[in-house]
Amino acid sequence: DADVTQTPRNRITKTGKRIMLECSQTKGHDRMYWYRQDPGLGLQLIYYSFDVKDINKGEISDGYSVSRQAQAKFSLSLESAIPNQTALYFCATSDSGTGTSNTQYFGPGTRLTVL
Amino acid sequence: QKEVEQDPGPLSVPEGAIVSLNCTYSNSAFQYFMWYRQYSRKGPELLMYTYSSGNKEDGRFTAQVDKSSKYISLFIRDSQPSDSATYLCAMSLEGTYKYIFGTGTRLKVLA
């Protein structure tokens, strides 16, 4: 079984709809991240969480919100989806116990299309 | 100017060739350098991770960091069609969570 799972893997929705993307991990890591990937722009950090009670905005948090329900679960919500939020979304995890390396491990991604 | 620059490719090579993938960066304080491989419709997979300068080898893959030139490289020896993917470089500062990613280079290895 995959260490980092994301659901759904694909989603098509309409402008104005509320969408939730979910991420679960079995790696036992305390840190979790949400990124989006757009062609030509690379990976951009949306939100990150160092533990259940520590949630922080990344570079491009406008229009997004998150919830860390447990150490193993981190959800990303689009409150009112718009077409320019069409992208690939990735969840990642890392372990603060590895010291300063903070090596990040990624899930398989969710392809979101907003019409 | 972006903090990390990476040629998007595509780079096409014949099977068995030596592949060189590169990134340049502007922040001399970066200490951690990563290479990720991303197959189509999959998440990035960590290939190599290097701290500070020098070389690191793992099988057919060698990662090099030249901090004086702010330049990192990934070499793939005896390239295989299964190496066809997008390769992303990433960098971070000592003790921080934040990764700065390159945009990725798309590699095609032709059988």
Side-chain angles (χ1 to χ4, degrees):
Chain A
D1 287 343
D3 295 319
V4 184
T5 57
Q6 292 183 236
T7 56
R9 295 295 314 280
N10 289 282
R11 182 72 184 268
I12 300 173
T13 191
K14 294 182 179 179
T15 297
K17 295 290 188 181
R18 185 176 188 274
I19 297 296
M20 180 181 284
L21 309 183
E22 299 187 337
C23 177
S24 294
Q25 53 112 349
T26 58
K27 297 181 79 68
H29 289 173
D30 51 346
R31 297 179 173 183
M32 298 186 74
Y33 310 81
W34 276 105
Y35 289 90
R36 67 177 277 175
Q37 187 177 40
D38 298 275
L41 291 180
L43 284 154
Q44 297 173 277
L45 184 63
I46 306 172
Y47 269 95
Y48 61 100
S49 170
F50 282 177
D51 65 38
V52 174
K53 296 182 180 180
D54 182 2
I55 294 177
N56 304 278
K57 293 182 178 181
E59 306 165 87
I60 56 163
S61 58
D62 287 349
Y64 301 95
S65 63
V66 292
S67 172
R68 185 85 183 263
Q69 301 94 326
Q71 187 183 41
K73 295 184 183 294
F74 193 34
S75 301
L76 176 72
S77 293
L78 287 66
E79 298 302 326
S80 180
I82 56 177
N84 77 358
Q85 291 177 314
T86 293
L88 267 172
Y89 289 85
F90 289 103
C91 175
T93 73
S94 69
D95 181 5
S96 63
T98 55
T100 57
S101 68
N102 197 50
T103 307
Q104 296 184 18
Y105 299 88
F106 285 80
T110 294
R111 183 172 294 275
L112 177 66
T113 303
V114 183
L115 301 176
Chain B
Q1 183 188 6
K2 292 180 181 178
E3 273 191 285
V4 178
E5 300 273 3
Q6 187 174 9
D7 188 324
L11 176 63
S12 293
V13 301
E15 183 176 357
I18 296 174
V19 175
S20 172
L21 303 167
N22 312 295
C23 287
T24 58
Y25 61 94
S26 57
N27 189 343
S28 58
F30 285 138
Q31 289 280 44
Y32 291 95
F33 304 91
M34 282 68 61
W35 284 98
Y36 284 84
R37 177 175 62 196
Q38 185 176 18
Y39 291 114
S40 181
R41 299 185 180 274
K42 302 284 188 181
E45 167 195 13
L46 182 66
L47 263 184
M48 303 283 284
Y49 144 69
T50 308
Y51 174 71
S52 194
S53 287
N55 294 0
K56 188 172 186 178
E57 189 172 320
D58 184 1
R60 296 185 295 111
F61 298 90
T62 299
Q64 282 187 354
V65 176
D66 181 348
K67 295 192 78 179
S68 62
S69 300
K70 296 180 193 168
Y71 188 88
I72 68 170
S73 300
L74 177 71
F75 296 97
I76 307 174
R77 291 183 298 281
D78 187 25
S79 57
Q80 303 295 311
S82 59
D83 295 326
S84 297
T86 296
Y87 290 80
L88 302 162
C89 63
M91 308 178 187
S92 70
L93 301 172
E94 181 89 41
T96 72
Y97 67 92
K98 187 173 182 179
Y99 275 22
I100 307 298
F101 284 89
T103 52
T105 299
R106 192 153 60 99
L107 172 68
K108 295 182 181 179
V109 180
L110 307 171

